[in-house]
């Protein structure tokens, strides 16, 4: 479209959205309101502002459909107890002497196989609290271990953020997942080092907090891993054998196979409904994200960011991780940050000669750097999982940022610097 919003209007859109989200307005409504006000302030009339918002939302719909389909897999993993079994098995195998590493790996694996990062932390938290109480480890250390592991797993998962990047850059979901493997290893390492330093810092876990409340008959570990295993096999058919099984089919198919393996196929509808409820909030948020992306994509903000990078003497490919960082800070969400950055800057990144895979990988990794800011739900959900006060939760932000920066820097080294100068 030829309609152009001023850079100032785009910044106003972001500021209004952040302000409203901080005031506890629904993120979807906050971003829609921000987009509308930003378009009007940016010199566009009401009709054309709405048109830009609609176009932006339209571009996000394929990702929304795939995210809704992913609800079946997420519902099966969480509601059946499979996620809890996977987490507990990993922690038991590793032993309490390596408790922090075990917690980080458990959360990483849960996010890798398709559990939302905040849900993964909440799932592992009861186990973490029990271990921390016995071993005398602080809440700060166990929460950082889980968050860092979750961030590492998130960039190699079939979660909504990866789906958004894959759709925007039109590449297979498995390619985005594979691109996160090496950065994730570095992220996990940094997580463990930082968490170890915090073992005696912050409040400790009380006996009452350490009581686990996992109820009902849980599945055995082998049937518990069938759902993610089938999903990954189906998604891998495209890069391995050029057989294209869309995530919209592979994700629910994996969930159904998992329910069958665990003997819970009669509960599949209940699991699907529960999973849909978890995904619907993200899907609705992404539609709001799309309206904001529509305004920013048709604004002068892209040029301002590119010119700023040029003025600093930074190479063109840095736009990819920087856009992910910038948008994750604005939305306090990996998914929304990845979606906005990919939609807004994707075409520009490709025009600079950066490959679709490299662009998607760097944007995706960049979106993990500031997705934990207090105006997002992740900050509060993770703090609540270990009964942590907000003041103490705020002290974790620099450590979380360091882990996100590790993921972004390693991804940029692999897909940016090495590609251009290697």
């Amino acid at each position: 479209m030829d309609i152009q919003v001023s850079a100032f209007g785009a910044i106003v859109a972001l500021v209004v959205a952040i302000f409203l989200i901080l005031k506890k307005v629904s993120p979807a409504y906050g971003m829609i309101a921000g987009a509308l006000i930003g378009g009007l302030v940016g010199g566009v009339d009401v009709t054309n502002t709405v048109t830009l918002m609609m176009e932006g939302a339209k571009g996000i719909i394929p990702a929304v459909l795939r995210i809704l389909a992913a609800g079946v897999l997420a519902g099966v993993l969480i509601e059946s107890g499979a996620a809890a079994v996977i987490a507990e098995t990993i922690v038991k195998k590793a032993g309490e002497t390596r408790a922090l590493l075990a917690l980080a790996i458990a959360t990483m694996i849960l996010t890798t196989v398709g559990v939302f990062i905040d849900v993964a932390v909440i799932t592992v938290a009861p186990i973490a609290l029990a271990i921390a109480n016995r071993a005398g480890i602080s809440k700060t250390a166990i929460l950082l271990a889980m968050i860092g592991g979750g961030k590492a797993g998130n960039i190699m998962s079939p979660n909504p953020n990866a789906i958004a990047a894959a759709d925007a850059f039109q590449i297979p979901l498995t390619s985005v997942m594979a691109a996160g493997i090496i950065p994730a290893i570095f992220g996990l390492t940094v997580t463990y080092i930082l968490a170890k330093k915090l073992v005696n810092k912050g409040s400790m876990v009380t006996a009452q907090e350490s009581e686990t409340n996992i109820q009902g008959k849980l599945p055995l570990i082998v049937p518990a891993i069938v759902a993610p295993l089938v999903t990954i096999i189906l998604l891998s058919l495209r890069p391995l054998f050029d057989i294209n099984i869309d995530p919209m089919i592979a994700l629910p198919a994996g969930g159904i196979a998992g329910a069958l393996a665990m003997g819970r196929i009669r509960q599949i509808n209940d699991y699907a409904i529960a999973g849909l409820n978890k995904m619907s909030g993200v899907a609705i948020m992404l539609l709001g994200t799309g309206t904001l992306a529509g305004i920013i994509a048709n604004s002068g903000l892209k040029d301002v960011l590119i010119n700023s990078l040029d003025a600093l003497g930074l190479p063109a490919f840095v736009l990819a991780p920087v856009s992910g960082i910038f948008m994750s800070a604005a939305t306090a969400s990996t998914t929304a940050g990845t979606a906005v950055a990919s939609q807004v800057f994707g075409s520009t990144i490709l025009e600079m000669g950066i490959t679709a895979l490299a662009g998607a990988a760097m944007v995706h990794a960049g979106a993990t750097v500031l997705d934990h800011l207090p105006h997002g739900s992740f900050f509060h959900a993770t703090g609540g999982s270990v009964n942590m006060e907000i003041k103490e939760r705020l002290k974790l932000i620099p450590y979380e940022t360091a882990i996100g920066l590790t993921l972004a820097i390693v991804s940029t080294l692999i897909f940016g610097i090495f590609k251009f100068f290697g």
Side-chain angles (χ1 to χ4, degrees), residues 222-275:
V222 173
I225 62 171
V226 167
L229 205 59
V230 169
T231 302
I232 291 165
I233 290 168
L234 290 174
L235 290 172
S236 301
L237 292 176
R238 179 171 175 176
L240 293 176
F241 305 108
D242 203 27
I243 300 169
N244 187 12
I245 308 291
D246 193 276
M248 201 158 80
I249 296 167
L251 294 164
I256 293 166
L260 272 168
M262 291 183 285
R264 309 279 180 89
I265 195 63
R266 289 184 179 178
Q267 285 86 41
I268 189 66
N269 190 46
D270 294 334
Y271 295 160
I273 291 168

Side-chain angles (χ1 to χ4, degrees), residues 26 59 74 156 158 166 194 243 312 362-363 380 412 415:
S26 159
M156 49 179 184
L194 293 176
I243 300 169
L312 292 168
M362 290 188 284
V363 166
H380 301 283
T412 305
F415 293 100

Side-chain angles (χ1 to χ4, degrees), residues 69-87:
V72 180
L73 175 64
V76 168
L77 283 171
I78 297 159
E79 299 301 314
S80 68
V85 168
I86 293 168

Side-chain angles (χ1 to χ4, degrees), residues 94-115:
E96 281 189 24
T97 52
R98 293 181 292 276
L100 291 172
L101 182 61
L103 293 173
I105 291 171
T107 319
M108 181 180 75
I109 288 174
L110 287 188
T111 49
T112 301
V113 301
V115 178

